[in-house]
Every structure is written in structure tokens, then in C-alpha cells.
Amino acid sequence: MPEKHIENFLAALAAGAYEAAGSPISIAGIAFGYNEDIDPPNYLRAACDPDLCNGPYRVEHGDPFIQYDGIAPPRWNFSVTHEPSGQATTMTVGMLEGQFVITDLPPLVESPEPNDLLALLFGNDLPNYVVVERFDAFEIQLADTNTWATNWFADTTWFVEGDVAISFGGANGVQVSPLAAPQDSFVYYCPDIVVRDGRTLVLDLCDPTAPGLYEFGTAERYPFLIDPLEIEPYESGGVSYLERGGIAVVALGDAEGNTSELISTTGADLLGGDYAGYRTLSADGRLFLYTDHSQGSGTYNHFWSPVVVVRATDTGAELLRLVLDGPVTCLESDGRWVVLCEGNLDRMIDGDPGIVALVAHNLESGAANRVESGTRVFLPARP
């Protein structure tokens, strides 16, 4: 979604992450301002320093809104307004050889510190470890330190654990790469990530009869906490393995990918009669989260549901049940915060409702925030 890319580009400028903001242009071999003697990061630094790109900005579709016509690459024009001053300009998100590129600057107005996404979601009570997918980069909040790391796989990342991301890599298959070192990526066919005792392990369930757990970048094999083969897969379903915080769950999926059978190392009933779709464990292993597709729950269909359930892994007790305004398209939790992606069935792209908002809920304080954003926020186990 081009809206997400312009949002993340503006966030990178506000954060002073000029290497990340300029990376797509550098890769595409394009110069800002038609000056080939100044590389994109330095151009952005000169234009924005010290406080000229902080915003906050209001972004709206401009005119025209140009889609791909089979010949010219697509371009999306946006009206970008600096809200305190009212100054506005048009910024264009383009495509070049499959890469989103932005060569325009927002209104350059001196401003105080901007409202950033993490503050809007969590207020002053940040999780200890947060990773945000940005514009060819990751924003990494670890304790009190905020850093940005350029990673050209960021836009297609669907899972982060420790300091490793799983991303679609185009023709090269599924990429597993360190957040800050995409050049050190490895290609796996059916990967998932487990962090155990400080080690990053890659889970491979391609062959359901011979599952494997290997240290990232090596062939060293590790044992499962619970054998995935304890549940025998049938023809239309598949077995998944979750492990976080010393807790493991094995689930059998049906033809729609929803859970028909589940066992865990705690022995607790983690479904309570529900019909689970998306499912995950919190980073500390204390919570099991899933979307409920059972009849009467408010689900749309077998594939998309706005209903989220959070259960304690030790007892199976239901701790929280939320109903979003749209289908849930991601689930994240560190054990204290729950972060959900909310999609929109009216804006389906290739069968995917995408992300139109993020919802954060604090299980301890009850604080809840909803932020309109297309950006993915991850709450991984710490590296």
C-alpha cells in the first residue's frame, strides 16, 4: 500500500534516519534534486536538519491517482499538509523495477518533536522490545534505545523474532535475515523462528514426517519441546509448531488453515471450544492468542474474523476477548501488551485485507489505543 510507504518515509525523516529514508532511492540509482554529486541520505540530511521534517503531517490522496496501465509504472500522488502551519505540497510514491520510490520532500517547516507511532500506541509505557517495519528499514526500540536499520526485505516481513526477520524475497523465495544485515540472509522454504536460551533457531516443517529445528546459519539441530508428530496430520490440514518463553504448542490445521486440534507443554485447554484461526504465543510464553471463527462469535467467514481471544497458557483461562472494526490480520504480544492489525474487507488486495489500523491493549492497566496506520509493529522475544 503506497499510503504505508509515505507514512514510513515521513517517519524516517522525522527520526533523522536519513540512511533508511534514502536507501530505496540509492538502490534505484536515482538522485534527489537532480544533483548526482549528493547522495540521497546527505541530500535529505541537508534538507531536513535540524527540525524541518518533524511534522506532524496530514496525508491525503491527491489528484491524479495513477494506477498501472501496463506500460508506465504506477504513481500515487498525495497531498501532504504540515498541520500546525497549514503549508501543503504534493508528494508522489512511484514504482521502479518493483521498488517503491519517493523523491519528493514534505513542507519544510521548523517544528518541535513529532508524535511518533510508538508513542501513539503505547504512550509512556513502551514494551521493552519493539520492531517496526518501515520504508526499506526496521525501527528498533530496545529498552530506552531507538535505532533504525536499513533492510530491503522489511516491506515483505511477516514475522520477527529475536533480531531476525522472515520475509518474502521475490524470486529468491523466503528470506531469513538479521534485522540489521539483510546481506547475510539465508533462503529457507518453510521457515519459522524460535529464540531459545539466546540462540536463534529456524523451524522447518516442509516435510511433515521429518520436522527440524536448526540454529540460524548452521546445520546444528535442536530438539523440540513437544514433538510435532504427536498430532498426525491428515491430507487437507497441516501441523504448526509454536515455541516462545519455554512454552510450546502444536496445532493441527484444517483445510481453511484453522485449528482443529491443539496440544501444549502445559496440558491446559487453550481453545475452550473456540475455532481458532491466526494463533500465536506471547514473547514470554504466558499467553496464547488467536482469532475466533466459531459460529456465533461474530466472525465473517472461515478466513477472516474481527474477534481476538487471549488465554493464559498455564490454566487456559480466558483473559481478554476483543472485537475489532475489521478483520484481524496480525497478532503480537509481549505478555503485557497485545497489538493487533485491523484490516478492511472492502480494500482487499490479492485476497488480503491489509492493515488500516493498529490496536494496542495493555492487559495490566487496561489502556487501549487505536491508531490509523498501515505499518506493521512486532513484539518479538528479545535477542
Side-chain angles (χ1 to χ4, degrees), residues 103-150:
T103 58
D104 300 313
L105 290 171
L108 301 178
V109 182
E110 188 170 358
S111 305
E113 290 295 316
N115 292 326
D116 70 280
L117 177 62
L118 295 184
L120 293 172
L121 272 179
F122 304 113
N124 295 321
D125 190 13
L126 284 174
N128 203 331
Y129 184 41
V130 189
V131 176
V132 185
E133 173 268 311
R134 291 299 194 180
F135 189 60
D136 267 18
F138 291 108
E139 179 185 0
I140 303 168
Q141 180 75 41
L142 181 56
D144 296 327
T145 302
N146 186 279
T147 59
W148 286 61
T150 297

Side-chain angles (χ1 to χ4, degrees), residues 45-74:
R45 183 176 290 107
C48 291
D49 273 351
D51 296 307
L52 298 181
C53 295
N54 281 344
Y57 298 105
R58 184 176 69 255
V59 179
E60 302 168 298
H61 279 309
D63 185 34
F65 185 75
I66 305 170
Q67 298 283 4
Y68 180 57
D69 62 4
I71 301 175

Side-chain angles (χ1 to χ4, degrees), residues 250-268:
V250 173
L252 178 63
D254 61 15
E256 284 79 27
N258 298 322
T259 303
S260 59
E261 187 178 346
L262 183 146
I263 56 175
S264 73
T265 50
T266 68

